[in-house]
Amino acid sequence: VLRPSKPPIYEAYSEYIQGLEFFVLKKDYETALGKANRAFALDTSFLIARDLACCASVNLGHWAEADSLAKSLTLRRGELNRTQQLSLDAVCAVISGDWLEYKNTCREMIKLEPDSKVNYLNSGRASLWLNRPLECIKTLSEIKAQDTMILQDYDYWSTLTVAYHQLEQYKEELAAIQKFRQAMPECYISLLCELSALVGLGRIDEVKKLLKEARDHPNRLEVPENAMSIAAKELRAHGYENEAMLVLDELIEWYRAKPEEERQSDLYLYARALYEARRWQEARETFQQLQKLRPDIAEFQYYLGRAAARLGDQAEAMRVSDSLEKAVQPYLFGGHVYCRATISAILGNRDEAVSLAKESLRQGHLYTFHTDFDFESLRDYQPFKKLIEPSR
């Protein structure tokens, strides 16, 4: 039932529209959040502004704030129309890491707004997160062909190409990326996507050329680092270990050559590069530095547990794993369980690793197994292969 509500005051509506433009067109979620909050402060009956603030908080990873906003909207659910209620349901599903509920809610939104490309895109992404790439491609194909605006949305292209990659349809992936680069020639994300497709096709010389292009890319300072990191992970995942190590060595030197201030701000990325390069002790020491600076960030503990396992420090690895089992921190989305799965895999506890990996997915972790070399000992283990096989 659509419930009538009075029009918002003009100033609130103006702030909301500006926020919506920042959110949708510029993907500037910080500014969108500020605009949405101002709109609601001007008119507390204007609940759609609060919904925008909630969505922006989700995209910024401000989970506690998003959860608080969602709960405040839930208390006033009766004042929302059906479309707004579904939008709230979708946000609540994301906050809880329930990707199936999120996908189903997006499908309900499509029924109400069949011309909205955003609902198709969100549904397709949810399918991808559920390891259903074929379903993702089908959903994206439902977007009306005449909707040329979708061609200017890098989320659409990156979702589509990842789906093809998961299905090992690398020629189709590359064809989509070429359309992406034609539609958005200045967008660096197309370059990153192309690296994955070229590795899948075994065109390693072209990967090297693309990495050179990334080093000279004018638009984003972090493009070279992102490109090298993605290339190294994909090269390793597709069996090019030596080539991956060469790229990682270059990436580490790239970080080391930066000015001191930049090195400090990039310390986490540098630590991850060390870990990927199998420099376990250096990685461990760097993550220890990071944990001293920010003991509240769970990711640092995850890597310290993994590094301990890699170094054969089983007692420390299991101490980390046991502490993660007792973790009560909210909004982890199964990350702590996923880390326990990697530790088990490294230590050779295959059945436990698969069991924990399944549980991490149930709690909202995404399918990142393809490029995670901590599961390399399980690549030929049938229960693990069955777990990561994409649904067709």
Side-chain angles (χ1 to χ4, degrees):
V1 177
L2 296 179
R3 297 178 181 269
S5 60
K6 66 177 183 178
I9 65 172
Y10 175 77
E11 290 82 359
Y13 182 73
S14 177
E15 288 287 340
Y16 169 75
I17 289 299
Q18 291 176 51
L20 195 62
E21 289 177 352
F22 278 105
F23 186 97
V24 175
L25 300 179
K26 299 180 181 179
K27 302 187 188 298
D28 181 349
Y29 304 119
E30 195 73 56
T31 303
L33 176 61
K35 293 285 184 181
N37 283 334
R38 280 192 288 275
F40 185 75
L42 289 166
D43 187 346
T44 56
S45 69
F46 193 26
L47 294 183
I48 193 172
R50 178 125 291 196
D51 179 68
L52 178 62
C54 189
C55 293
S57 297
V58 165
N59 284 5
L60 288 166
H62 297 170
W63 299 110
E65 183 177 359
D67 199 3
S68 177
L69 290 168
K71 287 174 179 174
S72 71
L73 281 169
T74 299
L75 293 174
R76 300 176 66 177
R77 185 180 181 89
E79 300 174 50
L80 304 174
N81 65 35
R82 182 57 180 156
T83 300
Q84 293 161 356
Q85 289 175 352
L86 286 172
S87 177
L88 173 60
D89 291 342
V91 168
C92 289
V94 171
I95 292 170
S96 63
D98 189 341
W99 306 125
L100 181 59
E101 177 64 22
Y102 179 62
K103 181 183 78 74
N104 291 338
T105 303
C106 291
R107 296 307 303 183
E108 287 298 312
M109 294 175 75
I110 287 172
K111 293 177 184 178
L112 285 178
E113 298 178 325
D115 293 332
S116 173
K117 72 177 189 301
V118 173
N119 294 333
Y120 291 97
L121 178 56
N122 288 339
S123 178
R125 284 194 291 194
S127 294
L128 197 61
W129 297 336
L130 290 164
N131 204 26
R132 302 177 182 179
L134 195 60
E135 183 179 84
C136 170
I137 294 168
K138 181 181 178 182
T139 299
L140 296 183
S141 71
E142 295 173 23
I143 298 174
K144 289 187 176 180
Q146 64 267 31
D147 187 353
T148 56
M149 284 187 64
I150 198 66
L151 301 180
Q152 300 300 317
D153 191 331
Y154 62 74
D155 282 336
Y156 165 80
W157 290 112
S158 59
T159 301
L160 179 63
T161 56
V162 170
Y164 279 128
H165 197 83
Q166 287 188 1
L167 290 168
E168 300 181 1
Q169 296 179 2
Y170 305 125
K171 291 182 180 179
E172 291 84 352
E173 179 186 9
L174 186 59
I177 291 165
Q178 289 169 344
K179 292 179 182 177
F180 180 9
R181 298 198 81 174
Q182 289 171 4
M184 304 179 68
E186 301 302 317
C187 182
Y188 79 104
I189 293 175
S190 62
L191 183 152
L192 303 181
C193 292
E194 189 170 354
L195 283 167
S196 297
L198 290 174
V199 172
L201 290 166
R203 291 156 61 169
I204 307 306
D205 287 341
E206 292 178 60
V207 171
K208 295 176 182 177
K209 290 179 182 178
L210 204 57
L211 285 173
K212 185 178 185 306
E213 181 182 335
R215 295 185 198 100
D216 301 328
H217 201 282
N219 289 346
R220 292 288 291 266
L221 292 176
E222 68 268 29
V223 168
E225 292 98 313
N226 286 340
M228 284 187 274
S229 178
I230 289 172
K233 289 180 178 180
E234 286 292 342
L235 285 164
R236 173 173 283 150
H238 288 271
Y240 301 99
E241 177 67 21
N242 292 337
E243 290 82 355
M245 291 296 285
L246 289 173
V247 173
L248 287 166
D249 288 343
E250 182 181 0
L251 177 57
I252 290 167
E253 292 307 312
W254 182 280
Y255 284 127
R256 288 177 173 172
K258 287 186 172 188
E260 175 63 25
E261 185 176 341
E262 287 186 39
R263 287 206 305 274
Q264 287 303 311
S265 64
D266 288 341
L267 194 59
Y268 172 57
L269 300 175
Y270 173 62
R272 287 201 327 189
L274 289 170
Y275 187 86
E276 291 286 336
R278 303 182 188 273
R279 302 185 189 185
W280 316 126
Q281 186 58 40
E282 291 178 81
R284 186 185 204 178
E285 292 169 359
T286 309
F287 277 113
Q288 286 171 340
Q289 292 179 45
L290 286 164
Q291 191 177 49
K292 288 179 182 178
L293 294 170
R294 290 292 304 274
D296 57 308
I297 297 181
E299 194 77 16
F300 301 158
Q301 185 183 24
Y302 297 167
Y303 271 103
L304 285 171
R306 291 169 153 187
R310 288 288 193 174
L311 288 164
D313 189 348
Q314 183 169 345
E316 176 60 16
M318 292 309 301
R319 187 197 66 78
V320 171
S321 182
D322 291 344
S323 70
L324 292 175
E325 185 178 14
K326 302 169 187 173
V328 294
Q329 181 180 342
Y331 319 118
L332 293 176
F333 302 98
H336 59 311
V337 184
Y338 184 89
C339 176
R340 295 185 65 218
T342 63
I343 290 172
S344 293
I346 294 168
L347 295 178
N349 303 323
R350 299 193 300 179
D351 288 339
E352 182 179 63
V354 172
S355 177
L356 289 168
K358 287 180 181 178
E359 176 60 21
S360 74
L361 297 173
R362 192 190 68 78
Q363 294 190 24
H365 203 277
L366 304 183
Y367 279 80
T368 55
F369 304 105
H370 171 60
T371 56
D372 193 335
F373 74 136
D374 281 332
F375 291 101
E376 58 192 356
S377 65
L378 304 184
R379 293 301 174 194
D380 296 324
Y381 186 50
Q382 194 58 39
F384 182 74
K385 291 172 69 175
K386 183 178 179 181
L387 174 66
I388 67 175
E389 178 69 23
S391 173
R392 296 173 187 266

